[in-house]
Each structure stands twice: as structure tokens, then as C-alpha cells.
Amino acid sequence: MPILLPVLQQTMSRRLFLRISQFSAICCFLSSALAGAATSQASCAATAATELAVSRAAYQEKLTGFWLGLSVANWTGLVTEMDKIGGTGPAGRFYTRADWGKADEPSIWGQGVPSDLSPTINWVLRSPGQIWGSDDDSDIEYIYLQLMLQSPNPLLTGAQIRAGWLAYIYRDDNTPHRTKDGKPENFLWVSNQQAFDLMQQGWLPPFTGLPPQNPHYDMIDAQLTTELFGALAPGRPDIAQQLAYLPIRTTASGEAADIAQFYVELHARAAMFSAELVQDKTALQQALLNIATQARQTLPANQYPAKMYDFVLAQFQAGVPWEQVRDALYRRYQLEQQDGYEISAKQLYCNGCFAAGINFAASLLSYFYGAGDMQDTVKIAVLAGWDSDNPAATWGGLYGLMLGADRVEQQFGQKLSRRFDIHRTRKGFANNGQTDFATMAAQGVAVTDKVVLQLMQGRLSKDKQCWLIPLPAPIPQAPLG
């Protein structure tokens, strides 16, 4: 039974990146749209073959589902976070599908004590009378949502991002929160913490995500803080990448930034899946494979994220059980350091168990083997190991976006809380941080209004109930500079 519980742009100019992203979107969008995108929702209808029609009311339900699905999966993933990371001893004995429902084992920092969220590896759910707390897989996205809502222009600047982080995130010297051993807790780690420290010194994004000043740019970074930008640009991954470009590079660089972009791309494409498609698991599995193939094109072929993707996909297509593939990922990347993945050579704490790369590989495992089923996808993410709440939250949000909140509840056969407490981890918001997913979704719709009108050059229907979103225009074949 479930548990119910109370600007420098790396080595490429920004203009070059955005033009490449737009070209990729033009080449790849139509096939995913025709494979299952909702080109007509409720009373909405496109007026031309070159545009998409999206019901604003129906999309608000999808955004509500995004936050609900993310929260369910995030808190369930926290049960097994860092329980299994490879190596010697208990942490090296990975979970398998047979461990679902069995006793949780201590994490590497659990001091021999299992999770206090659940005695067993099981769903962590909150009933309507309870409230979901924020976590680092949800709170930075909430901050970005509020900043975009407050800003006339949905494209955030480095100054806006820095001001938002400084306003809404505790420092160690003013946080009321404490770890179990009494140390100050502000719910930031590794790259996110380093970026925050740099902001306090006056640095602006993207420099806060770049080495040498941020040597942690590929560990607990933008891969868990920027998926929302895809959800705010439905059907237009090219625009989603524009929205996410600087927020990603606030804490990530290199391959870690590419991984975050991959997740953003998936959300923008999956946002257009129709209600009919998402209720057909066979069709949904194929549609998810299709958009993953398209998102794979954003990954440089000679770098480890693309090679991880290709390896996991090949194993999946060969019918190898996911547990064997997970074990192979550990050997291939954390022991043998193949495909240019060299985190182990840095001799980091827990062998870089929270690094972008190994958790990206684990996320691909659950994405493919979940086979269009929300519960199966999240279960595998929870059991796969490493920073398990991270991939779980990403896919929980993705499935919630595809399904909508009501269908997320149907997955569990019960009503779930839709209340949210951002002040569990952050500060400075109205109503002492108490809000709900419907309000957050309505705010997302308001931001998407700006995105559609300003960045997509789209429009509202005459009755204001629908977005009419143009497909990307062809790019002239001119040299890029």
C-alpha cells in the first residue's frame, strides 16, 4: 500500500546556439506533432497547417499535473536517494524490481538508519488534507516561474536570476533550517551552492556556471532545475531552449548543460501529446521514443551524453533487463570511464554519485524501460540507484504534464493533495509560502501567454481561450557566425 505522509556562452555564441536549436526544431517537430500532438483541443482549432491550437484551460490542467507528478515522484525518490551507488559494501548491492515494497536500506549518509519518509520502498503520497513540501527538484523552478511572472519579458536576464536567487534562497548565516547534525541547511548542494556563493560575490549568470570559478558545474546542477521551461513553450522546443538557455548556464556547463537541454526539449515536445495518445500505452511508448530520438539530436555526437543515450537505447532494444543495464552503466562509466566520462578520475566523494552524467544514464534507463507507463517509469527511477529522486522527479513531471492532474490521481486510485509549501526550503513568498498547484498552473499559463505572444509570434483566439502557435519558420541557408 502507498505510504500517506503528513554573457559568456561557453565556446559557442548564443546566436549560433539558438539558430542551431531552431533549425533542429524545424527538421524534427512535424513528425512528433503528427505522431500524437494535440492540434485541436476542446473548442480550439488551428486556422492553418502551419500552426498549432492549444486550449489554455486544458493546458492549465496539464501544468497542474506537471507539479503534482513531479512532487509524487520526487518524494518517492527521496526514500532511496543515495542508497545504492556502487562500490563495496551495502551501497554496492543495487536494488532490483523485486525490492519494490520491501524494506528501505540506509543511504550512504544515513548513519545506518533508513529513510524517515517510508519504512519500505513505496509510493510517498499526500492526501488532500496534507501538503507537499518543496525540494531542490522543485523549488528553483518555482523561483523561475515567479520571476517570469513578474517580468514583462519571459526571457530572464542574468541580473534577474541573481536577484531572484538572493531574494528567495537562504544563506548559511540566516537559514532557520538545520541538518541532523546541527549544521546550517539551505537546501543547495555542489554546483547550485557554488553558483549561489558566486552570486553573493557579485557574479552573474552564465559566469556562475562556468569553470574555473565553478568547478562543480556538472554536479547537482541545472538538470534538476530547468525542465519547467519546456512546459512553458508547448510544441516549440526551439523557444523552450531560448527560455532555458541562461537559467541552465546559471549552474551548468559543457555536457551537464547539454543534459539539461535534453530534458527541456522532451518537455516541450511531450506537452503537445493528446489525451487520446497518453491513454494508449503502446502508442505513448512509441511517441516517447520518437521525441527522444529528436532530442538526441541536440547532444553532440562525440561527447558522453550522446554515447550514454546510444548505449542505453541499444541495450533496451536488445531486450536486456534493466537491472543488467544499470549494472553495466556502473561498470562502463564509474569503473572503466568509457566514452569520455572521467568523473572517477577526480576521486570525488562517493565517486561522483550525484554527477550529471551517471544520473543522466540512470534516467534514460527508466525512460526507456518505463515503456509509456508512469508508475513503471518512476519505480525504475527510484530503484536504479544514485541520486534517485532526480530522474524520478524529472519523469514524474513529464508524465504529469502529459496526463494532467486528474489522470495522475487515477494512476493511484485516490485523490491527492494539491497544496504546496515553497517555504519548506525557500523564503520570501506571499502567504508564508503556502500555495497550490492550480495557482502555480494558472501562473504558468500567464507566463505562456507572454511566451506565445512575444517569442513565438503567436496569438490568442478571438474568444481568448486558445493559443494559436505558429510552427518555426524556415531558416535561410546562410553561413552561421
Side-chain angles (χ1 to χ4, degrees):
M1 293 291 293
I3 304 299
L4 292 172
L5 295 175
V7 160
L8 173 64
Q9 315 292 357
Q10 301 177 284
T11 59
M12 166 187 305
S13 75
R14 180 169 183 163
R15 184 165 75 94
L16 174 58
F17 171 81
L18 295 178
R19 291 184 71 183
I20 289 173
S21 296
Q22 187 181 20
F23 180 74
S24 174
I26 294 167
C27 293
C28 302
F29 179 80
L30 284 175
S31 61
S32 67
L34 295 175
T39 56
S40 176
Q41 301 177 37
S43 60
C44 295
T47 61
T50 56
E51 71 180 9
L52 304 170
V54 181
S55 163
R56 296 170 74 246
Y59 202 71
Q60 183 168 330
E61 166 68 7
K62 282 177 170 280
L63 289 175
T64 306
F66 169 83
W67 290 109
L68 178 58
L70 185 160
S71 296
V72 169
N74 181 192
W75 283 93
T76 301
L78 285 169
V79 175
T80 59
E81 179 189 32
M82 301 302 179
D83 285 3
K84 305 295 181 180
I85 63 169
T88 60
R93 295 191 291 272
F94 283 105
Y95 291 129
T96 71
R97 72 192 74 196
D99 288 299
W100 185 264
K102 294 184 178 179
D104 175 56
E105 297 182 22
S107 71
I108 58 172
W109 51 58
Q111 300 177 332
V113 179
S115 172
D116 59 3
L117 293 173
S118 171
T120 60
I121 302 171
N122 212 324
W123 298 107
V124 175
L125 304 176
R126 284 174 168 79
S127 64
Q130 299 171 319
I131 189 166
W132 298 100
S134 57
D135 188 51
D136 66 333
D137 289 271
S138 59
D139 55 15
I140 301 300
E141 286 172 291
Y142 184 86
I143 289 174
Y144 287 144
L145 175 64
Q146 302 308 312
L147 295 179
M148 296 171 78
L149 187 68
Q150 297 160 15
S151 174
N153 188 333
L155 283 175
L156 297 176
T157 67
Q160 287 175 311
I161 293 170
R162 176 178 179 268
W165 279 55
L166 294 179
Y168 297 126
I169 298 175
Y170 285 109
R171 303 185 309 273
D172 282 349
D173 64 358
N174 70 359
T175 179
H177 305 295
R178 293 292 182 270
T179 63
K180 291 180 179 179
D181 55 2
K183 296 179 180 179
E185 176 67 274
N186 75 339
F187 300 96
L188 291 179
W189 294 275
V190 203
S191 182
N192 290 339
Q193 180 65 57
Q194 180 69 13
F196 185 56
D197 291 343
L198 291 168
M199 290 178 195
Q200 293 176 70
Q201 299 168 26
W203 291 82
L204 290 175
F207 302 102
T208 52
L210 286 170
Q213 59 269 13
N214 188 343
H216 309 304
Y217 63 88
D218 58 355
M219 290 178 284
I220 307 189
D221 55 85
Q223 64 175 315
L224 61 149
T225 62
T226 54
E227 298 98 315
L228 173 68
F229 293 101
L232 298 177
R236 288 293 300 270
D238 58 322
I239 300 299
Q241 297 291 9
Q242 290 185 39
L243 291 171
Y245 189 88
L246 195 55
I248 285 174
R249 286 157 184 81
T250 297
T251 61
S253 183
E255 292 94 335
D258 294 336
I259 290 168
Q261 289 168 189
F262 178 89
Y263 293 142
V264 169
E265 182 98 3
L266 287 182
H267 280 71
R269 293 183 181 279
M272 293 301 295
F273 286 176
S274 67
E276 294 74 21
L277 174 66
V278 298
Q279 294 181 78
D280 182 338
K281 288 184 181 179
T282 300
L284 180 57
Q285 179 184 11
Q286 186 57 55
L288 289 169
L289 290 172
N290 290 346
I291 65 170
T293 299
Q294 293 158 0
R296 160 67 176 80
Q297 296 180 28
T298 68
L299 301 174
N302 63 338
Q303 295 181 353
Y304 73 74
K307 294 179 179 181
M308 287 176 167
Y309 178 101
D310 294 345
F311 176 76
V312 176
L313 179 60
Q315 299 299 300
F316 168 71
Q317 291 174 331
V320 180
W322 71 259
E323 292 95 337
Q324 293 182 29
V325 182
R326 186 266 320 281
D327 296 347
L329 291 175
Y330 170 67
R331 293 191 301 271
R332 184 179 181 91
Y333 295 112
Q334 292 203 290
L335 296 182
E336 300 169 4
Q337 302 187 77
Q338 292 193 40
D339 297 333
Y341 187 69
E342 299 175 346
I343 288 291
S344 295
K346 298 181 180 181
Q347 298 184 332
L348 301 170
Y349 171 73
C350 74
N351 198 20
C353 58
F354 35 69
I358 194 62
N359 286 289
F360 177 61
S363 79
L364 295 170
L365 189 76
S366 49
Y367 183 87
F368 291 132
Y369 282 87
D373 184 284
M374 178 181 182
Q375 288 207 10
D376 287 348
T377 299
V378 175
K379 282 181 179 180
I380 295 171
V382 169
L383 293 167
W386 299 288
D387 198 7
S388 53
D389 68 314
N390 180 348
T394 295
W395 302 144
L398 183 76
Y399 272 89
L401 182 65
M402 295 187 294
L403 293 167
D406 289 346
R407 287 195 175 93
V408 170
E409 290 181 336
Q410 290 172 15
Q411 294 279 314
F412 299 96
Q414 64 183 79
K415 290 291 185 181
L416 298 172
S417 172
R418 300 192 185 185
R419 297 166 58 203
F420 187 69
D421 179 14
I422 185 62
H423 278 189
R424 176 187 176 267
T425 55
R426 303 298 167 220
K427 68 181 179 72
F429 291 101
N431 197 34
N432 196 30
Q434 305 298 297
T435 185
D436 58 76
F437 297 146
T439 298
M440 294 155 66
Q443 293 170 338
V445 167
V447 170
T448 305
D449 283 342
K450 300 178 189 180
V451 173
V452 170
L453 297 175
Q454 296 182 37
L455 302 183
M456 297 181 182
Q457 301 302 304
R459 66 190 194 281
L460 296 177
S461 59
K462 289 182 180 180
D463 62 4
K464 311 298 184 186
Q465 299 304 304
C466 309
W467 293 309
L468 299 175
I469 300 174
L471 295 174
I475 299 176
Q477 295 300 306
L480 298 177

